[in-house]
Amino acid sequence: DEIYCEWAPNEKVATEVAFGASLAGARSACCMKHVGLNVAADPLFTASYTGGNAGMVILVADDPGMHSSQNEQDSRHYAIAAKLPMLEPSDSKEAKEFVKAAFDMSERFDTPVMIRTCTRIAHAQCVVKMEDRKENDPVPYKKNPEKFLMSPAFASKRHPIIEKRMEALTEFAGASPLNRIEDGKDFKLGIITSGTCYEYVKEVFGDTVNVLKLGLVNPLPEKMIRDFAASVERLVVIEELDPFIEEHVKQLGIPVEGKSIFPICGE
């Protein structure tokens, strides 16, 4: 009873309602499919510049394999374009924990936080430990046009702030337990992966290879990636859809394989 919930006419309206709740000082979240994120992009990009007044989470479900969708787009590109942090859980337990982490990140860095899931995770099951709810008192709204009114004069001043925020988030990513290295028995092969693909990697390889498991996929932990790459002889990225992580690793000047092995289409 203490949670207000509604079905919005479309994803743009849903994002605006959640954004309004955040401005009013209440934690908010809105959930949609990947194609819905196209509709929600207009307010989402502006919300990135303004930040909020309380935690705001955008949960988007991609559909590799197009089980019930008209395209197979990769929502991680939106995180880069909108300059927003994105988390990617690999199972039900992480989905719950990452939402909690996302709200904390949202309030710590004054930004909406995106969570990317997918069809397989939505249909998966695992043991989830429940905990007592932690109540968060609403934060009083204070009128601040320079922060919340994105006319060109104010928006131009916000852009440098957003770039500094991404720098701080990159540093945070390197120390966050959301990203972790799992040492294997053989240091010849190292695999960088995230989301559902992490489960596939563990199913096939177990603990025989070194794994860099990314929970925070934007921004990526550059130093951690460099250190991990230096510890193995062969580096492979296993991810669904576009070579998002692979291209970033290549931009760091690190030799890596990915889509030369695994398909760009489908699961």
Side-chain angles (χ1 to χ4, degrees):
D1 292 339
E2 67 276 18
I3 298 175
Y4 173 77
C5 179
E6 73 174 31
W7 287 92
N10 57 47
E11 294 83 1
K12 176 180 181 290
V13 175
T15 302
E16 289 171 338
V17 171
F19 185 38
S22 173
L23 295 184
R27 282 186 165 185
S28 65
C30 59
C31 311
M32 63 197 69
K33 281 178 60 173
H34 61 298
V35 289
L37 192 57
N38 300 331
V39 183
D42 180 30
L44 183 65
F45 276 60
T46 301
S48 172
Y49 266 47
T50 65
N53 204 22
M56 178 180 176
V57 171
I58 310 293
L59 192 144
V60 55
D62 283 4
D63 191 17
M66 289 181 281
H67 298 279
S68 60
S69 304
Q70 64 268 44
N71 69 25
E72 202 174 30
Q73 71 191 49
D74 191 326
S75 295
R76 294 177 295 178
H77 296 292
Y78 270 102
I80 287 183
K83 301 183 184 295
L84 290 173
M86 175 179 273
L87 306 181
E88 188 172 13
S90 63
D91 59 23
S92 308
K93 178 177 181 294
E94 280 193 347
K96 180 178 80 73
E97 295 300 324
F98 281 20
V99 168
K100 293 173 64 176
F103 277 117
D104 291 338
M105 286 177 60
S106 178
E107 291 166 350
R108 176 177 174 180
F109 294 99
D110 189 21
T111 178
V113 176
M114 301 179 69
I115 297 179
R116 180 197 189 220
T117 180
C118 70
T119 307
R120 290 295 170 194
I121 293 174
H123 288 262
Q125 296 180 4
C126 72
V127 176
V128 174
K129 181 182 178 182
M130 302 303 292
E131 302 168 70
D132 293 333
R133 275 194 67 209
K134 178 183 177 182
E135 298 295 338
N136 290 273
D137 295 328
V139 181
Y141 172 77
K142 295 181 180 179
K143 189 174 181 179
N144 186 352
E146 290 191 2
K147 185 176 190 298
F148 296 125
L149 177 59
M150 287 301 97
S151 62
F154 295 149
S156 61
K157 295 178 181 178
R158 291 295 298 176
H159 189 188
I161 295 173
I162 305 313
E163 297 300 338
K164 289 182 180 179
R165 181 183 74 196
M166 291 305 294
E167 291 177 4
L169 281 162
T170 300
E171 185 176 346
F172 169 82
S176 172
L178 295 167
N179 301 317
R180 66 176 184 265
I181 294 176
E182 300 178 359
D183 291 334
K185 299 175 181 177
D186 187 349
F187 278 80
K188 291 183 179 180
L189 176 61
I191 294 174
I192 302 177
T193 189
S194 65
T196 308
C197 291
Y198 168 77
E199 303 295 342
Y200 299 154
V201 168
K202 299 302 287 187
E203 182 179 355
V204 172
F205 292 103
D207 61 354
T208 62
V209 299
N210 299 289
V211 177
L212 171 53
K213 196 268 188 190
L214 297 172
L216 180 57
V217 295
N218 190 60
L220 290 168
E222 294 184 359
K223 185 179 184 302
M224 181 180 287
I225 291 173
R226 291 185 188 278
D227 291 345
F228 181 75
S231 69
V232 298
E233 296 180 16
R234 183 187 183 192
L235 186 65
V236 176
V237 172
I238 300 181
E239 57 187 328
E240 285 179 329
L241 301 181
D242 295 339
F244 181 90
I245 299 170
E246 178 185 353
E247 292 297 334
H248 185 86
V249 174
K250 288 179 177 178
Q251 288 175 7
L252 296 177
I254 299 171
V256 63
E257 299 169 83
K259 292 305 173 183
S260 60
I261 305 171
F262 301 99
I264 201 169
C265 299
E267 296 182 288

